Amino acid sequence: QAKQQSANGEPALKLKGFKAGRNLEFDVVVPPADLSVREIHDAIPKQYFKRIMWKGFAYVARDIAQGIATIAAMYYGGYAAIDAVDNTFDSNVASAIVRLVIWNVFWFVQGLTGTGLWVMAHECGHQSFSDSKAVNDAVGWVIHSFLLVPYHSWRITHGNHHKHTNHITKDTVFVPDLKSEVLKEAISESPIVSMFFMIVMVTVGWPAYLLFNIAGQPYDRRANHFEINSPLFRPADASDVAVSDVGCGIAALGVGVSIYQFGLSNVLCWYLIPYFWVNFWLVLITYLQHSDIRLPHYNAEEWTFVRGALATVDRDFGPVLNWWLHHINDSHVIHHTFSQMPFYHAIQVTRKHARSIFGDLYLFSDRSIICLLYTSPSPRDS
């Protein structure tokens, strides 16, 4: 039975008549305040909560194999194609176009593969990779360090995000500005300004969040993911933050040595540009999951864990991207409700049970990424 009311009979609250633009009206559905995680848990078959270590390692191996295959294809096939064009056409323009196309295909594909690896480290941070915390943290630390992510530091703040999703004063990312200024809103909502900030967000948004807590909760002192005395962490987290810093330091040292050994252009082409593509996908996915006019934010009196967990949207990017990204984009509602459920089970629960369990509380969209970035919800969104 859809959770339009809790076990105690409290109904969901449907707020009607919100407007977006000139034509679209939409409703905001608020879960019952006493709807519990246990009620939702009991509606899901138990086998979906099982974590399978060998499957986790198989998906990591898949991503690594894809990365190696992409490098090999570029090194042997891409260079051969570039040489063939250079030898066939006496044109710098043709050569430049072919180089640009081939390298951009490589960067795009490798960025997707790197994002898949990032997702597997994300699984480790949630302890959904396996039943062993030691295995989870070891695998997650290695992968995230390779991608210049402070594993434990981000694991801690991301865990706080899951504990307080859409809590107006306790959530850690995509925190809305509570001060409403008409002129400021009018400027920021203009197409050119919106496009500018969108480009900035998907290019440098992730490093800016890690380094400067951009889009996070405001604090009265410096906040970032690298200092052990950052307000993002408790004193008990100091050793985990230090271990994360060591991992990023080793990776950064490797980048520096590689630049010295092979040159900046080689490191840029083979590692840094795919790294920025990973940042692009990460920010894009999380932004689209948590930024929608149908998603309410709650004050301390109205917030509950279930209300926060259901204040997110599943985004279908199509079968190829969904598969490549380990379904982090189209099973996010279930992931927020049960973060220790492996992704390969979360997508099955989403497809088979989400609508029957949540009813109108479940939000989903399968519109194109460009439309999602630049427009409001459409009537086809559910």
Side-chain angles (χ1 to χ4, degrees):
Q1 181 182 0
K3 298 301 181 183
Q4 301 304 297
Q5 64 180 34
S6 67
N8 296 327
E10 180 180 345
L13 177 63
K14 180 172 286 191
L15 307 177
K16 292 180 173 290
F18 287 88
K19 292 183 178 294
R22 296 180 178 179
N23 303 316
L24 178 64
E25 289 193 4
F26 63 97
D27 301 332
V28 173
V29 183
V30 178
D34 61 350
L35 178 60
S36 68
V37 175
R38 174 55 60 184
E39 290 178 60
I40 302 170
H41 183 281
D42 290 346
I44 298 173
K46 293 180 180 179
Q47 68 265 24
Y48 290 119
F49 293 94
K50 184 178 180 181
R51 295 168 289 188
I52 306 171
M53 185 185 295
W54 71 262
K55 275 195 173 183
F57 276 110
Y59 282 109
V60 170
R62 185 200 86 177
D63 291 336
I64 293 173
Q66 286 175 189
I68 294 172
T70 306
I71 291 172
M74 181 62 207
Y75 190 80
Y76 294 104
Y79 279 159
I82 292 170
D83 289 342
V85 170
D86 289 345
N87 294 329
T88 304
F89 301 98
D90 187 18
S91 170
N92 291 332
V93 174
S95 177
I97 291 174
V98 169
R99 288 174 185 272
L100 185 65
V101 169
I102 290 176
W103 274 110
N104 272 281
V105 170
F106 169 77
W107 293 331
F108 178 77
V109 171
Q110 200 71 326
L112 280 171
T113 299
T115 306
L117 271 174
W118 190 98
V119 172
M120 294 312 300
H122 165 266
E123 290 275 296
C124 293
H126 281 294
Q127 306 302 313
S128 57
F129 185 83
S130 75
D131 291 331
S132 169
K133 187 177 187 303
V135 170
N136 295 338
D137 288 344
V139 173
W141 181 82
V142 170
I143 295 175
H144 264 173
S145 296
F146 174 75
L147 296 171
L148 298 176
V149 179
Y151 169 73
H152 287 294
S153 305
W154 181 80
R155 172 184 63 79
I156 292 165
T157 60
H158 186 63
N160 288 332
H161 159 63
H162 271 258
K163 293 175 184 175
H164 304 106
T165 307
N166 281 33
H167 191 297
I168 203 69
T169 60
K170 293 184 177 181
D171 199 356
T172 60
V173 289
F174 298 117
V175 179
D177 188 355
L178 296 180
K179 297 179 181 179
S180 178
E181 300 177 17
V182 175
L183 179 60
K184 180 180 177 181
E185 289 186 3
I187 294 173
S188 65
E189 291 297 322
S190 65
I192 294 177
V193 175
S194 294
M195 179 64 71
F196 170 76
F197 282 111
M198 193 68 63
I199 292 171
V200 171
M201 180 184 69
V202 298
T203 52
V204 298
W206 174 239
Y209 171 65
L210 293 178
L211 291 167
F212 307 111
N213 196 41
I214 299 299
Q217 284 288 347
Y219 295 96
D220 58 1
R221 55 194 175 94
R222 186 172 64 238
N224 58 66
H225 282 73
F226 297 94
E227 295 182 63
I228 60 175
N229 60 349
S230 169
L232 299 175
F233 309 117
R234 306 166 301 163
D237 298 326
S239 61
D240 283 339
V241 175
V243 169
S244 302
D245 291 347
V246 169
C248 286
I250 293 172
L253 179 62
V255 172
V257 170
S258 297
I259 291 173
Y260 177 81
Q261 187 73 27
F262 304 108
L264 177 60
S265 61
N266 272 320
V267 176
L268 191 68
C269 289
W270 292 100
Y271 177 80
L272 290 177
I273 294 180
Y275 161 78
F276 277 104
W277 265 109
V278 173
N279 293 351
F280 166 85
W281 283 111
L282 169 61
V283 174
L284 176 75
I285 292 165
T286 54
Y287 173 77
L288 291 177
Q289 288 165 339
H290 293 287
S291 299
D292 191 289
I293 56 177
R294 298 167 295 169
L295 299 179
H297 283 75
Y298 300 96
N299 59 27
E301 290 73 27
E302 299 295 333
W303 183 88
T304 67
F305 176 83
V306 170
R307 282 180 170 177
L310 296 182
T312 183
V313 186
D314 281 348
R315 307 287 194 182
D316 185 352
F317 294 164
V320 175
L321 288 181
N322 294 345
W323 173 86
W324 221 318
L325 299 170
H326 299 301
H327 297 284
I328 193 174
N329 51 292
D330 58 333
S331 62
H332 199 64
V333 174
I334 290 296
H335 170 66
H336 255 271
T337 312
F338 304 103
S339 61
Q340 289 191 341
M341 180 184 291
F343 79 89
Y344 45 83
H345 287 158
I347 188 58
Q348 294 300 316
V349 173
T350 298
R351 290 171 173 171
K352 296 177 182 178
H353 303 285
R355 292 188 184 278
S356 62
I357 292 173
F358 297 124
D360 291 342
L361 302 177
Y362 176 69
L363 296 181
F364 169 86
S365 177
D366 61 357
R367 288 186 298 145
S368 72
I369 292 174
I370 297 298
C371 288
L372 289 172
L373 279 173
Y374 215 63
T375 63
S376 300
S378 74
R380 63 182 279 191
D381 292 335
S382 60

